[in-house]
């Protein structure tokens, strides 16, 4: 789960207690109905749902793992360290369409990062009823923020205590711990806590313990045996065995379902709060919770007399009440229903749509109505058995769900079809059907709209497709000149796929034949694969494989291979969904290939237009840098240039709106125009006005910003005009750096009558001028003035000691100013930088 000791024991421990307390308090603070904590894991970039409060874990298993760079609110809160407030489903769809598609219900949500110092541990989240706007949830957000700060400090302290252990101690690598949201969801007296110390045999309990167990307050409950006798008179051995096993660090499956003396159901949950290794001998103290599901679980409810079936679930999905008619219609004995999760008590309700209806009721708190078909197996039902269909209604309340069930001979609307038992991705029955594979075509399609390169498409498939089906390995091959070339791989042994790179279409391999035949190939085991293709190299002794053809509009694009660590079977529904997903991937890959061709053309055009070398002057040193963006076309309209202008030099930098071939072409035309004006030694305002008129006459549907300086190296006089461009920076020889705040006109290409005022400055020898585009100083959610201020500080540091004492070359300064940008994985805009320094002696560098 977390540190090595806790992972082996599987017990909640101190870390889980901290997360549970923060989750339940946050739900209460924000007026929510459920929530939890996502925590970092020992897998880099992967977040795991550590605690889920107020919702059944099996219904939300598909959202238990998220990549930190995915387009989900939890990931943004973690990665960016910001609050994410989604007051309603409309705002969620606008900002996070993938998340809205995967959970298409009416609810609001809040996300607060859990941070201490420079470490982000995870995200505290609350789901709540929809609100018209964010103002309604701000007070709750403030309280959540304080809770997140307190949790961060506690996690830092816990981490410091275990800093010598291997791996990250404050991390989560297992399944989520599921708990009730808050104690307010249970009537008073229906839950009680106790602690048993196996060394001293002492038992201490809270004030509710005697009332829940139905014994006099004066009765001594001072031993584990005493509690076992009143908790479950007929199951004392089971209770005592569970207590001893938990103390020894080997707890049985919990919670235990036991019966009280009056026959009512009680649930017993046990754990060891202490962290670290289990001491030898008897063991460590055990904390316990006794839960009475409620009076509704007994057989004296007035609802027992109703003609229709009625049953109740708490927010964790446990059946707390079922009248005789409900048990009859569901085909189960009442004793088999009470105290169990619905999907265990009525296994045949594991049907496509049932899970979704319950999820919708739990999240939106709105009633849902649907029809469900009962199984034909007579062993799954009891007589009398009327009709094949049941009409069901689910009415959510604060403390759970009330469900009605009645026979229905007329089905209105699309019924919920039956689905075979779902497997966990390793071939083992998971016990609950997941709708994640059905949402994946929607979620994957939305994610693929933002992926424009083959690499981005492959990354989306890796993050969105494999987790839904429990896959561990992925390979994507693309077709070129009747050969398949490896475009992406993940999870396969190093070098294993190398011999298959570039195979021809006449080769007998499943990855080739799935494309040439247009049929997906599924192999439940490696033995099955070896029998179908004798002699084929295998990368593992066991595991299943799926080979999917990538065909877009009838044209072959390539093939996709999914690998699973264990043998498993593929249901009819899974095969259909995977085949549909392969079609989505093929279309995205085809689009990516067209994009790559256009990008290559744009890159070639831009490289041809950017200056190979900058015009030189004996008294001026210059350095320029250009970095393309990492999103979209990766080619934009940023440019810089240095041009001889009479007996001086013209320094120019500009930024054409947009990306791609059109932006690069417009940039080339503007660069040529500015060079022509500069070579004629025209004043800066005339250069800006002339270029403005040219862009308006060209009418490319684009505008551009620009900054033009004319420097006289001998006198140091600088004259400048700018059109909607960030102001230059100046570093003086004494090491001070400032923004040259000069007036400017509107961007080029908008107003034919625009004026561009000229400003003058006397540049001292060994001073540095810095011109830049907004990609270097602009970040989402950060004011551009803050970005300029940060660049000013960076320039002061990058230039080293004061210029007069000798320092770095301008090329080194330019490299230092762009280091962070060069190594950033997410660079949304192009970056151009131009530096110039006036020298009193030729060849002297600062």
């Amino acid at each position: 789960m977390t540190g090595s000791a806790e992972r082996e024991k599987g017990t909640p421990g101190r870390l889980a207690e901290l997360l549970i307390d923060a989750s339940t308090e946050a739900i209460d603070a924000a007026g929510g109905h459920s929530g939890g904590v996502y925590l970092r894991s020992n897998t880099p970039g992967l977040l795991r749902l550590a605690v889920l409060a107020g919702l059944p874990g099996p219904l939300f298993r598909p959202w238990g793992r998220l990549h930190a760079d995915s387009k989900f609110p939890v990931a943004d809160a973690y990665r960016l360290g910001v609050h994410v407030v989604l007051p309603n489903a409309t705002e969620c769809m606008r900002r996070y369409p993938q998340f809205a598609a995967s959970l298409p219900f009416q609810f609001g949500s809040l996300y607060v990062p859990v941070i201490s110092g420079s470490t982000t541990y995870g995200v505290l989240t609350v789901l709540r009823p929809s609100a018209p706007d964010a103002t309604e949830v701000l007070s709750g957000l403030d309280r959540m923020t304080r809770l997140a700060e307190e949790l961060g400090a506690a996690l830092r302290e816990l981490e410091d205590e275990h800093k010598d252990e291997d791996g990250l101690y404050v991390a989560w690598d297992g399944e989520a711990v599921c708990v009730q949201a808050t104690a307010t969801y249970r009537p008073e007296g229906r839950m009680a806590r106790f602690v048993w110390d196996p060394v001293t045999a002492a038992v201490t309990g809270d004030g509710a313990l005697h009332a829940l167990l139905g014994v006099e307050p004066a009765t001594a409950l001072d031993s584990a045996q005493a509690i076992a006798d009143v908790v479950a008179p007929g199951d004392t051995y089971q209770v005592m065995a569970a207590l001893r096993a938990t103390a020894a660090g080997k707890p049985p499956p919990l919670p235990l379902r036991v019966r009280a003396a009056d026959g009512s159901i009680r649930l017993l949950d046990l754990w060891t709060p202490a962290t670290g290794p289990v001491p030898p001998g008897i063991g460590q103290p055990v904390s316990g919770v006794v839960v009475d599901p409620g009076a509704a679980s007994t057989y004296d409810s007035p609802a027992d007399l109703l003609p229709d079936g009625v049953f109740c679930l708490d927010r964790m999905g446990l059946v707390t009440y079922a009248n005789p008619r409900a048990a009859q219609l569901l085909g189960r004995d009442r004793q088999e229903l009470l105290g169990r999760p619905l999907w265990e008590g009525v296994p045949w309700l594991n049907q496509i749509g049932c899970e979704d209806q319950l999820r919708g009721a739990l999240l939106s708190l709105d009633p849902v109505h649907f029809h469900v078909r009962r199984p034909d197996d007579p062993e799954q039902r009891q007589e009398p058995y009327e009709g094949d269909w049941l009409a069901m209604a689910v009415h959510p309340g604060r403390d759970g769900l009330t469900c009605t069930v009645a026979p229905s001979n007329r089905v209105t609307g699309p019924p919920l079809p039956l689905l075979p038992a779902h497997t966990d991705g390793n071939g083992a029955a998971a016990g609950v059907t997941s709708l994640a594979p059905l949402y994946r075509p929607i979620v994957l399609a939305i994610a693929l709209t933002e992926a424009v390169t083959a690499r981005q498409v492959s990354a989306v498939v890796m993050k969105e497709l494999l987790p839904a089906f429990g896959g561990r390995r992925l390979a994507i091959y693309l077709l070129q000149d009747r050969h398949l070339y490896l475009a992406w791989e993940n999870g396969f042994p190093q070098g294993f796929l190398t011999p298959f790179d570039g195979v021809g279409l006449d080769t007998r391999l499943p990855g080739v034949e799935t494309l040439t035949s247009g049929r997906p190939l599924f192999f439940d085991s490696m033995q099955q694969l070896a029998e179908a293709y004798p002699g084929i190299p295998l990368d593992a002794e066991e595991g299943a494989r799926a080979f999917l053809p990538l065909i877009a509009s009838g044209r072959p694009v390539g093939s996709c291979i999914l690998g699973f660590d264990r043998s498993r079977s593929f249901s009819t529904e899974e095969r259909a969904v995977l085949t549909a997903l392969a079609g989505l991937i093929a279309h995205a890959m085809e689009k990516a290939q067209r994009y790559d061709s256009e990008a290559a053309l744009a890159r070639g055009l831009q490289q041809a237009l950017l200056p190979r070398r900058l015009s030189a002057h004996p008294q001026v040193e210059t350095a320029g840098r250009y970095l393309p963006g990492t999103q979209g076309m990766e080619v934009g309209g940023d440019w810089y240039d240095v041009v001889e202008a009479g007996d001086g030099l013209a320094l120019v930098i500009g930024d054409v709106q947009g990306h791609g071939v059109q932006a690069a072409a417009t940039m080339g035309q503007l660069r040529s125009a500015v060079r022509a004006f500069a070579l004629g030694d025209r004043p800066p305002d005339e250069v800006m006005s002339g270029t403005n008129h040219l862009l308006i006459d060209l009418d490319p549907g684009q505008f551009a910003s620009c900054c033009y300086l004319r420097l006289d190296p001998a006198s140091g006089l600088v004259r400048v005009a700018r059109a909607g461009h960030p102001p230059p920076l100046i570093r003086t020889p004494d090491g001070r750096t400032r923004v040259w705040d000069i007036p400017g006109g509107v961007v080029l290409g908008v107003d034919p009558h625009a004026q561009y005022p000229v400003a003058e400055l006397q540049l001292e020898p060994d001073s540095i001028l810095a011109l830049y585009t907004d990609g270097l100083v602009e970040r989402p959610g950060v004011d551009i003035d803050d970005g300029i201020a940060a660049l000013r500080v960076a320039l002061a540091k990058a230039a080293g000691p004061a210029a007069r004492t000798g320092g770095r070359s301008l090329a080194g300064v330019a490299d230092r100013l762009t280091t962070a940008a060069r190594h950033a994985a997410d660079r949304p805009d192009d970056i151009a930088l131009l530096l110039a320094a006036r020298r009193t002696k030729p060849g002297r560098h600062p």
Side-chain angles (χ1 to χ4, degrees), residues 102-121:
S102 64
L103 285 171
F105 311 112
Q106 296 290 327
F107 66 94
S109 52
L110 307 174
Y111 307 85
V112 177
V114 179
I115 302 174
S116 179
S118 60
T119 302
T120 303
Y121 293 106

Side-chain angles (χ1 to χ4, degrees), residues 423-429 469-472 542 544 564-569:
T423 61
D424 63 358
N426 296 321
F469 295 90
R472 297 291 184 271
E542 62 174 328
F564 303 83
D565 288 344
R566 299 183 184 180
S567 300
R568 57 157 295 168
S569 59

